[in-house]
Amino acid sequence: MVNSENYYEVIAAELDRYAKVPDEVLLEIVTRDGACMWLWANEDGPEWESEEITDREAAARLCAGCPVLPVCLELELRTAGEDTVGVWGGLSQEDRREVFRVWRARREGGGSS
Ligand code: SF4
């Protein structure tokens, strides 16, 4: 069983492959292929919007099967950083802030091992 620190480390490490991809390319990919972009564009938001669910549950449901999940997460960490809010990249804001901490340390350390 992985502890939460390892969990965040694994997620941050998986993003290393995007380190050299420009922001605008990430944005284009997410806007074009993100599962939620398609939902909102078709005014077909999820029916569970009014349910009492946690951010973590919302992230799991909204982002399940999204083909660009890691790209979305990389973009959100770059653009919002520790101020990230809501559901992006398959994670709640609490989880994303923890990933951000590890992700930033990896990038500042030259990160892609
Ligand atoms: S990972 Fe989630 S928030 Fe990001 S584009 Fe996909 S469905 Fe949308």
Side-chain angles (χ1 to χ4, degrees), residues 36-44:
C36 64
M37 303 296 158
W38 186 86
L39 280 173
W40 307 138
N42 288 281
E43 297 180 3
D44 191 20

Side-chain angles (χ1 to χ4, degrees), residues 30 34-37 62-63 66 68-69 72 87-90:
V30 171
C36 64
M37 303 296 158
L62 179 70
C63 304
C66 178
V68 298
L69 191 152
C72 175
V87 170
W88 296 103

